[in-house]
Amino acid sequence: MQSVRVTDEMWQHLLSLREGLIGPRVLSPDADVSCLPLYAPIARRSGQFVLAQVGQSLDGRIATPMGDAQDVSGSDGIAHLHRCRALVDAVVVGVGTVVADDPSLSVRAAPGRSPVRVVVDCNGRMPHRAKMLNDGGMPVIVIQADDVARRNGGHELISLPRQADGSLSPRDILAALTERDLTSVLVEGGANTISRFIDAQLVDRLHVSVSPIIIGSGPAGIRLTPIDRLSQARRPEVQVYNIGTDIVFDCNLRVEAQRAAALPDCEDILMADTA
């Protein structure tokens, strides 16, 4: 396990990588570079990149059965999430997360620019009074099915065709964002949204941030398609980082995704709005 320390110098260097500067900020000879393996893959601009982030307890829970998810992550886990937001173009959540938590999805626990906020809202449930629609922050994009009535709400609306089961395709969602030059994406929640992007083999890196608490019951952070045998379980390359109050498992899913994309029978995983 590697301990990670993010100094002001290193963070400014990472932000310069995020901006795609020809000459990134030069580091001093004695710079503490322990954070580079964790954050540099997100900051570098090299085409489409999808990061999924889960903050959970030791027993894999993201909230209590009543839905209380506040303070699941420690202070350093929250700072890590906000750093991830600051290094991407857009952050994606399902409308269920907006209804349950009313997040702002901005960068507050780290210096940097907030990302564009994207809400997958298949059936048009986006609350008019949602915080992100009224905080004067970064633009909000709502993605819904093309057979749902369009509503004015001070945000951009993207309409996509429903698939056979009435849901939206994660691949179509990423394509629509890429058309708007939003190529680096953080898929933040909820569990169904993250799981569908993983099942679709579209996630390059998965960060599982574990906080030393035991909730005992409640929803899990990831719910993938069921498997019958452990031999079918995914075993990505993993690096483990001690970031202070939390431990981050950095799972490299890119190789697995590339192999799956090469299979002729690979099916597109469908996207609902129940996150």
Side-chain angles (χ1 to χ4, degrees):
M1 183 187 301
Q2 179 175 335
S3 294
V4 168
R5 179 170 173 260
V6 183
T7 64
D8 290 341
E9 178 185 15
M10 286 308 307
W11 184 242
Q12 291 304 316
H13 174 74
L14 287 163
L15 289 178
S16 70
L17 290 177
R18 183 250 182 274
E19 295 300 326
L21 300 180
I22 296 177
R25 186 184 179 97
V26 178
L27 297 174
S28 61
D30 59 347
D32 183 345
V33 298
S34 60
C35 68
L36 278 182
L38 180 59
Y39 293 113
I42 311 169
R44 292 192 179 103
R45 325 299 285 170
S46 56
Q48 187 181 84
F49 180 87
V50 179
L51 167 69
Q53 150 78 23
V54 177
Q56 65 179 44
S57 64
L58 283 172
D59 54 338
R61 311 294 180 175
I62 59 173
T64 68
M66 297 300 294
D68 181 9
Q70 189 170 3
D71 297 331
V72 169
S73 296
S75 58
D76 293 317
I78 293 171
H80 170 72
L81 174 60
H82 285 224
R83 291 188 195 108
C84 292
R85 289 178 183 172
L87 294 176
V88 298
D89 299 324
V91 56
V92 176
V93 296
V95 70
T97 295
V98 178
V99 172
D101 301 334
D102 196 20
S104 65
L105 302 179
S106 60
V107 174
R108 303 180 303 280
R113 184 173 61 187
S114 294
V116 172
R117 285 86 61 91
V118 180
V119 180
V120 181
D121 181 22
C122 187
N123 296 309
R125 297 195 293 134
M126 183 71 176
H128 287 294
R129 296 184 178 180
K131 184 187 302 180
M132 69 176 71
L133 296 180
N134 300 283
D135 62 5
M138 289 295 286
V140 175
I141 298 174
V142 176
I143 302 178
Q144 65 181 40
D146 58 8
D147 58 358
V148 174
R150 300 176 68 91
R151 299 182 302 171
N152 294 325
H155 57 271
E156 181 181 358
L157 185 63
I158 298 176
S159 296
L160 296 177
R162 290 185 187 269
Q163 304 301 301
D165 70 345
S167 59
L168 302 180
S169 164
R171 199 174 301 278
D172 289 348
I173 292 169
L174 289 183
L177 297 180
T178 299
E179 289 176 357
R180 290 158 177 79
D181 293 325
L182 303 173
T183 57
S184 60
V185 176
L186 168 63
V187 183
E188 188 172 317
N192 288 344
T193 301
I194 291 172
S195 299
R196 288 188 177 95
F197 274 87
I198 294 175
D199 271 335
Q201 307 287 358
L202 296 174
V203 175
D204 296 291
R205 303 294 271 259
L206 168 66
H207 284 185
V208 181
S209 180
V210 180
S211 178
I213 62 171
I214 299 174
I215 299 175
S217 58
I222 302 175
R223 294 190 291 271
L224 300 178
T225 301
I227 59 175
D228 296 324
R229 298 178 301 277
L230 281 179
S231 60
Q232 299 172 282
R234 300 183 179 189
R235 301 179 187 274
E237 297 177 359
V238 178
Q239 299 295 323
V240 185
Y241 299 94
N242 180 353
I243 62 171
T245 61
D246 298 60
I247 302 297
V248 173
F249 291 78
D250 179 11
C251 308
N252 189 340
L253 303 181
R254 177 172 294 176
V255 173
E256 182 184 17
Q258 290 172 342
R259 289 173 179 169
L263 295 176
D265 296 328
C266 181
E267 295 182 357
D268 192 18
I269 307 299
L270 305 181
M271 184 68 160
D273 69 344
T274 56

